[in-house]
Amino acid sequence: VCDGICKKLIVRHPHIFSDVSANTSDEVLKNWEEIKKKTKSDSRKSAMDGIPPSLPSLMRASKACKKASDAGYVAESFDAAADKIITEAMKLRNIRDAEDKDSNNRDDFTRVMGRLLFAVAEASRIMDTDAEEALGREVDRFTEKIRSDEAATGRR
């Protein structure tokens, strides 16, 4: 097992173990994907295959955006992604403000919220920012702010 893992590492990292040059992490990842395609008996039929459904949804969205981009399907600019975020946020407001509060509105709200969050993942990909990490840091900042406020006010 160890021998197999070592051989795989050597084959998939020619920038370290051979004479292939890769000056950036993007070049390393591109080379790695190409080598993986050649060496792995892969039965994937879609660029979207191989994204574990067990990942947190934001991480899955980020991986889906990256794979779609690598396959040539997503070529949006940051401005287009930002416009999509604004559009979906406005749709959420419209759904909330609708007078008819039936279950279809709840379903619409959920669907549009999903599109909004997906657009955020795409904007993060375009700006080379890890959306999961960014959200985690913001949650940490938020919880610290609340704790600080509770300590200052004695409120809980």
Side-chain angles (χ1 to χ4, degrees):
V1 172
C2 289
D3 187 52
I5 292 170
C6 286
K7 286 178 181 176
K8 187 190 298 185
L9 282 169
I10 290 168
V11 168
R12 290 191 183 171
H13 296 85
H15 59 286
I16 295 172
F17 301 107
S18 186
D19 59 357
V20 173
S21 76
N23 297 322
T24 66
S25 60
D26 285 340
E27 288 176 5
V28 170
L29 291 173
K30 185 178 178 190
N31 289 342
W32 186 82
E33 283 293 333
E34 290 299 318
I35 293 165
K36 191 168 100 171
K37 283 179 191 174
K38 291 177 190 171
T39 60
K40 191 172 184 174
S41 59
D42 198 352
S43 61
R44 294 178 184 166
K45 292 177 175 55
S46 167
M48 296 294 105
D49 291 348
I51 302 171
S54 59
L55 289 176
S57 295
L58 186 57
M59 193 178 289
R60 277 183 52 219
S62 295
K63 287 191 178 292
C65 290
K66 172 81 170 98
K67 284 182 169 265
S69 176
D70 290 347
Y73 286 100
V74 179
E76 288 191 5
S77 66
F78 176 78
D79 289 342
D83 288 345
K84 180 74 170 170
I85 291 168
I86 293 166
T87 298
E88 298 303 334
M90 294 303 294
K91 286 179 183 177
L92 288 175
R93 273 194 175 164
N94 292 339
I95 293 168
R96 183 205 61 195
D97 293 344
E99 289 185 34
D100 185 13
K101 304 280 187 198
D102 64 13
S103 64
N104 285 340
N105 276 7
R106 177 58 45 199
D107 292 344
D108 289 346
F109 189 89
T110 300
R111 185 175 38 80
V112 174
M113 180 62 77
R115 288 198 315 245
L116 171 64
L117 294 169
F118 195 87
V120 168
E122 175 62 0
S124 293
R125 180 199 65 80
I126 290 167
M127 295 304 293
D128 197 26
T129 299
D130 185 313
E132 188 78 27
E133 181 181 334
L135 180 58
R137 286 182 180 183
E138 188 56 31
V139 170
D140 291 345
R141 279 191 285 271
F142 178 79
T143 56
E144 274 308 307
K145 180 179 180 265
I146 297 299
R147 285 186 180 117
S148 177
D149 183 60
E150 286 173 336
T153 63
R155 188 173 127 197
R156 181 168 174 235

